[in-house]
Amino acid sequence: MENITLQPAKAEIIKQAKAYITALFEEKLPRQLVYHSPKHTATVVKEAKALGEAAGLPEADQEALVLAAWFHDAGYTEAYAGHEYRSMELAATWLRQQGYPEERIRLVQDLIRATCHTEKPETDLQRLLRDADMSHMGREDFFANAELLRTEWEVMLGKTFSNEEWAEMQLDFLTSIKFYSEAGKARYKEQFKENIKAQRELLKKAEKKKKKKQEEEAGNFAEGKRGVETMFRATYDNHNTLSQMADSKANMMISLNSVILSVLITYFGAKTSTLGASTFTRNPILAVPMALLVATALGSVVTAILSAQPDVTSFKWLKKSPQVATNRRVNLLFFGNFTKLSLDAFQEGMGELMANKDLLYNNMITDIYYLGDVLAKKYRLLRISYTIFMVGLILVAFSFAIVLLYKS
């Protein structure tokens, strides 16, 4: 008679638990939990039923096992870390509302606690639920589930892994766990071995791929890595463009101020003019703005000429010095340096460059450095030229305005 009354109660309580958990997950479970999802819980329930039946559990224990399977991840609706203990509380609260016996509630809680990785399952029921929760390790969908867990950890915990790191961690996990129940060992043993074997193969492939990448990165840069070549080409082009722009701006200032000076010199040198020298005799105060204009044009043109003047970097080489190719301050690719060398020294240095990737790129880097140094001087002088011209014109304009006010 006891079995006849228990079966309907079991079916009803489990059906109600399923409906409650399904609604709870739909309402509160974070969508970022792509592994610990309703599907995972349903799978654990399915595996728990199968393991319980294989173990020949009494109906009451089977009921407790399945109820614990439904509630074992309910705590994820409120917490990620330590969710098992929130699952225990949620299960106890709901079961009490259903009038479930208190001793059976404690049993369900003990089963849920056993799913925590820091706990060691001690009873047969705990071993069965632990195996059901870890059943993905011995199923064919292990690798698909592992990628879901990887994604979930990246989103929820901020943990990111390279393919090699993930493969290594998964292999360590597979080789460190075990199935506790006899029913679990029998159900998952063969596929579990296959998963370990496949994971080792994945790790070997990941390590091989990483090694190949390291070998490519450690290859001979002098053979022409596209990224390095692009960088140097773009840098040289930028330096040349900036140098042409500086020379163009300097030539513009030279031309403009040369015209101004030519006009002023012609004006001052005219012996006869409607506004000739007699003008300054009658209005000596006009000499102030005219002098400012001459000084402005002269200062601006001088600094512009200095900016456009060729600047060749060089070095002092002594025959007692060490090999030129290894001298970090020498650039054998620039005529300002190598023309100071003898032909033999230059040929020897170039031979070393072509045979040594580090020396080759060191010389190219040195060349870029000195090009930048020359550009810095050009633009500094050019900035001074433009500043003198701008400030000078302002002062000239103010001085003419003062002269006009004075005359009026």
Side-chain angles (χ1 to χ4, degrees):
M1 291 296 292
E2 184 179 353
N3 288 341
I4 295 175
T5 58
L6 179 60
Q7 183 63 29
K10 170 188 172 184
E12 186 62 28
I13 193 68
I14 291 177
K15 182 178 179 181
Q16 291 174 358
K18 176 181 179 181
Y20 172 74
I21 291 297
T22 301
L24 180 67
F25 282 175
E26 181 66 28
E27 180 183 357
K28 294 185 177 181
L29 191 69
R31 296 293 182 263
Q32 296 91 334
L33 300 186
V34 292
Y35 173 75
H36 292 99
S37 62
K39 180 181 177 181
H40 168 72
T41 296
T43 301
V44 172
V45 171
K46 176 183 175 182
E47 295 297 325
K49 288 179 180 179
L51 292 176
E53 292 172 357
L57 290 181
E59 292 182 354
D61 289 345
Q62 179 80 343
E63 175 184 297
L65 180 65
V66 175
L67 284 173
W70 275 116
F71 278 92
H72 84 286
D73 275 350
Y76 275 118
T77 58
E78 298 182 8
Y80 198 83
H83 70 278
E84 296 91 352
Y85 301 100
R86 282 300 300 142
S87 298
M88 293 165 58
E89 295 173 5
L90 290 170
T93 300
W94 184 83
L95 289 171
R96 289 191 183 102
Q97 292 173 355
Q98 311 309 311
Y100 205 62
E102 195 65 32
E103 67 275 8
R104 306 302 290 179
I105 292 176
R106 286 195 294 272
L107 174 59
V108 171
Q109 287 185 303
D110 287 340
L111 294 178
I112 295 174
R113 183 187 292 110
T115 62
C116 182
H117 289 193
T118 58
E119 299 283 342
K120 183 178 180 180
E122 298 177 349
T123 67
D124 290 339
L125 285 177
Q126 288 177 351
R127 295 187 187 99
L128 289 169
L129 184 59
R130 181 70 167 266
D131 287 352
D133 191 27
M134 301 302 295
S135 62
H136 68 284
M137 311 297 285
R139 299 200 311 265
E140 292 181 358
D141 59 355
F142 163 71
F143 294 101
N145 286 322
E147 288 304 312
L148 291 177
L149 182 61
R150 181 179 180 179
T151 302
E152 181 176 303
W153 281 1
E154 288 180 356
V155 175
M156 299 299 296
L157 304 179
K159 294 181 178 180
T160 56
F161 306 90
S162 66
N163 290 336
E164 184 190 15
E165 291 171 340
W166 184 251
E168 185 175 357
M169 189 177 72
Q170 288 296 96
L171 182 59
D172 290 342
F173 188 49
L174 281 169
T175 54
S176 65
I177 71 159
K178 63 178 181 179
F179 290 102
Y180 292 90
S181 67
E182 293 302 321
K185 292 175 183 177
R187 184 174 176 84
Y188 308 117
K189 180 179 179 181
E190 295 302 323
Q191 188 60 47
F192 183 53
K193 290 181 178 179
E194 290 296 324
N195 289 342
I196 293 177
K197 181 180 178 181
Q199 189 64 57
R200 285 197 173 102
E201 291 298 322
L202 283 177
L203 181 57
K204 288 180 181 179
K205 290 181 180 178
E207 289 177 342
K208 188 178 294 185
K209 187 175 181 181
K210 181 182 178 181
K211 185 178 180 181
K212 182 178 179 181
K213 184 177 180 181
Q214 289 175 341
E215 290 175 351
E216 290 177 353
E217 291 176 351
N220 192 344
F221 287 101
E223 293 177 357
K225 294 296 181 180
R226 181 174 298 178
V228 176
E229 289 181 351
T230 301
M231 179 195 72
F232 278 110
R233 187 182 300 111
T235 304
Y236 276 116
D237 288 344
N238 289 338
H239 278 71
N240 289 331
T241 300
L242 289 171
S243 181
Q244 292 174 5
M245 289 174 59
D247 291 340
S248 176
K249 291 177 181 295
N251 289 333
M252 183 178 67
M253 292 302 295
I254 292 171
S255 300
L256 177 61
N257 287 285
S258 296
V259 170
I260 293 175
L261 287 173
S262 298
V263 171
L264 291 175
I265 291 173
T266 301
Y267 174 76
F268 287 135
K271 293 183 178 181
T272 58
S273 173
T274 55
L275 297 173
S278 60
T279 302
F280 293 103
T281 303
R282 294 192 303 268
N283 300 291
I285 196 171
L286 284 174
V288 174
M290 297 301 289
L292 283 174
L293 185 58
V294 171
T296 296
L298 188 60
S300 182
V301 75
V302 169
T303 51
I305 291 172
L306 290 175
S307 174
Q309 184 180 15
D311 189 0
V312 178
T313 57
S314 62
F315 78 106
K316 185 177 181 181
W317 179 67
L318 302 175
K319 292 184 178 180
K320 296 180 180 180
S321 300
Q323 291 179 317
V324 292
T326 59
N327 190 332
R328 293 176 59 85
R329 298 185 62 83
V330 177
N331 175 21
L332 288 176
L333 305 179
F334 181 57
F335 76 94
N337 283 186
F338 69 69
T339 53
K340 304 294 183 180
L341 305 173
S342 66
L343 178 60
D344 291 339
F346 177 67
Q347 290 176 338
E348 180 183 352
M350 289 299 292
E352 291 184 31
L353 283 187
M354 291 184 289
N356 190 313
K357 61 177 182 180
D358 294 328
L359 291 178
L360 172 62
Y361 278 92
N362 181 66
N363 269 258
M364 294 181 71
I365 292 170
T366 303
D367 190 28
I368 291 174
Y369 175 83
Y370 283 123
L371 285 174
D373 185 53
V374 171
L375 274 179
K377 293 178 182 178
K378 278 179 173 288
Y379 276 91
R380 183 171 61 252
L381 290 169
L382 197 57
R383 192 181 303 112
I384 293 173
S385 176
Y386 273 81
T387 301
I388 292 174
F389 189 74
M390 178 185 67
V391 174
L393 287 183
I394 293 173
L395 292 176
V396 170
F398 272 116
S399 62
F400 267 116
I402 293 172
V403 168
L404 292 176
L405 291 174
Y406 177 79
K407 288 182 64 179
S408 61

